[in-house]
């Protein structure tokens, strides 16, 4: 397994709609394993392929946060939201591609998602709580959308300027 580098906003690769995966190959299984390792290392509760510069519709997540609880690593390929609740939930979201910046985003509290698993089977599940928020945040990544696109333009601009500054500093070493 290999740790992959996480892209930092702004980056054109984070704004592009990702391509469907289709058939699940060993290369896709390796990609999912690398993404899970990279997500746990960050640490994060989710990671979408475009965040490591791979324009494919796959994301990983594990929203088990309780100490001592068994992990639940999930890889979702070609995911589709097939149902969303009318009631909404507000969560202060973060993003591994926008480090140390947070913002309140309102999304459906529960969603049903259909996806292809690593065995190549189409499966579905209803998610709530952080799982629902995370799945929607990650599917946004697959569509080239970031959580800051849900914020007011001024706040979005402020965060983008901070990230431009951070990237300048990182590139100077
Ligand atoms: O997609 C990403 O950038 C990952 C992101 C997912 C996410 C977080 C919060 C709400 C919705 C989606 C993160 O994982 S940010 C880091 C984070 O939230 C976290 C890190 C360690 C422990 C628990 C949470
Ligand atoms: Zn993110």
């Amino acid at each position: 397994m290999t740790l992959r580098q996480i892209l930092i906003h702004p980056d054109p690769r984070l704004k592009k709609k990702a391509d469907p995966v289709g058939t699940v190959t060993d290369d896709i299984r390796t990609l999912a394993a690398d993404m899970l390792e990279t997500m746990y290392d960050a640490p994060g509760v989710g990671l979408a392929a475009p965040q490591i510069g791979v324009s494919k519709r796959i994301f990983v997540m594990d929203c088990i946060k309780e100490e001592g609880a068994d992990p639940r690593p999930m890889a979702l390929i070609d995911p589709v939201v097939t149902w969303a609740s009318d009631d909404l939930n507000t969560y202060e979201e973060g993003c591994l591609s926008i480090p140390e910046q947070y913002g309140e985003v309102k999304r459906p509290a529960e969603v049903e998602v259909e996806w292809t698993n690593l065995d190549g089977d189409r499966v579905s599940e209803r998610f709530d709580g952080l799982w629902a928020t995370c799945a929607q945040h990650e599917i946004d990544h697959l569509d080239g959308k970031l959580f800051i696109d849900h914020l007011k333009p001024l706040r979005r601009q402020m965060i983008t300027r901070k990230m431009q500054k951070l990237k300048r500093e990182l590139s100077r070493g």
Side-chain angles (χ1 to χ4, degrees), residues 17-29:
K17 193 176 165 79
D19 297 324
V21 170
T23 308
V24 178
T25 60
D26 281 346
D27 282 351
I28 292 295
R29 290 185 194 99

Side-chain angles (χ1 to χ4, degrees), residues 2-3 19 29 38 45-46 67-68 72 79 99 107 114 121 133 136 139 145 149 158 164:
T2 313
L3 275 184
D19 297 324
R29 290 185 194 99
T38 305
V45 292
E67 197 127 315
R72 191 188 176 202
R107 302 181 188 270
E114 187 186 299
D121 298 322
T133 298
Q136 293 172 82
I139 290 170
K145 198 168 175 180
D149 296 320
M158 221 181 75
Q164 283 166 331

